[in-house]
Amino acid sequence: MDMEEVRELKSVLEKVERKLIAAGKMYGALNFAVWLAIMLLYYDILALLDIPWQFNLVYWPIAFIVAITFTGRVWKRFVEIAKATGREVESSKREGMPIAFSWILGIIVGWIAIPQTSIAVNAEARLAVGFLSFITISIAGMFALVMKGEKEMIPAFLIPGIHIPIVWNMENGAMILAGFVVALGFAVTILIYIHNAFKAIE
């Protein structure tokens, strides 16, 4: 193999590597897009229907199953594409336990501990603080434990986190603002993921 062939092979491998990086970024964007859609659908249902609190016990487990199933199928396709190009991608199962731990911690703090305290100006503000704390702790923990290289995730927990002091003192509309804040954080994260995906294949 002469030097020209070596350079051509190197160029092809670099293009494959960039496309795999772009595919990984698109997968990251997809994860946040799925949860954004699930959350917005939940808010839409709340606005249109007078539903009991027990609805949450049905909606969120089903939403979790749907999201995991959908993103899991996409991940398998990504792994297959990587293998077809001769690249080995680590299984996401190894990251499953730390990710689950961060979300369990977020649930305990945001949905169980905080609502039982007397912090914030009223019950709605307390619920909003718990919601934003849940998102901040869960995603920040996930970022710190297994996705340190995924800097695109930072807005998803930073934007909700910096709004906690704001909803803390809101007498009205705290939960509505919290929902929009989380949606904003997820939307910015998705945009950055997509931007970096295109940047990787330039």
Side-chain angles (χ1 to χ4, degrees):
M1 183 179 292
D2 58 29
M3 290 302 296
E4 183 64 29
E5 291 176 331
V6 170
R7 283 193 293 268
E8 288 179 1
L9 178 59
K10 183 179 179 181
S11 176
V12 170
L13 292 176
E14 287 176 351
K15 288 179 180 179
V16 170
E17 184 69 24
R18 288 197 297 269
K19 288 181 179 180
L20 285 178
I21 291 173
K25 300 299 182 185
M26 294 299 291
Y27 175 76
L30 178 68
N31 274 282
F32 282 94
V34 167
W35 284 107
L36 178 59
I38 288 172
M39 187 184 69
L40 292 178
L41 176 61
Y42 176 76
Y43 268 85
D44 189 39
I45 293 172
L46 286 184
L48 295 175
L49 302 173
D50 183 18
I51 58 174
W53 66 269
Q54 291 89 345
F55 173 75
N56 294 289
L57 301 178
V58 177
Y59 182 85
W60 289 108
I62 292 176
F64 180 80
I65 293 171
V66 170
I68 295 300
T69 301
F70 180 72
T71 56
R73 288 179 179 176
V74 175
W75 176 258
K76 287 180 180 178
R77 291 176 185 174
F78 174 68
V79 171
E80 289 172 1
I81 293 171
K83 286 183 178 179
T85 59
R87 300 282 181 173
E88 288 294 329
V89 178
E90 290 186 8
S91 172
S92 60
K93 292 180 180 179
R94 183 181 299 179
E95 300 177 345
M97 289 301 294
I99 290 175
F101 172 77
S102 68
W103 284 96
I104 291 170
L105 179 61
I107 290 170
I108 292 172
V109 174
W111 291 123
I112 299 175
I114 290 178
Q116 294 180 357
T117 67
S118 58
I119 65 170
V121 296
N122 56 33
E124 183 187 359
R126 193 156 46 246
L127 190 61
V129 169
F131 179 35
L132 294 181
S133 298
F134 158 66
I135 293 295
T136 302
I137 292 170
S138 300
I139 300 180
M142 188 168 61
F143 172 77
L145 290 171
V146 295
M147 298 179 175
K148 297 175 183 178
E150 300 287 322
K151 294 181 180 179
E152 295 89 350
M153 293 173 58
I154 293 176
F157 64 83
L158 181 61
I159 292 176
I162 63 178
H163 279 81
I164 291 176
I166 298 174
V167 300
W168 190 293
N169 296 307
M170 289 183 65
E171 295 184 359
N172 295 297
M175 199 58 190
I176 294 175
L177 177 61
F180 278 109
V181 164
V182 173
L184 174 62
F186 280 30
V188 172
T189 291
I190 292 167
L191 288 173
I192 296 174
Y193 263 121
I194 294 173
H195 172 268
N196 288 347
F198 280 103
K199 190 176 179 181
I201 57 177
E202 286 180 351

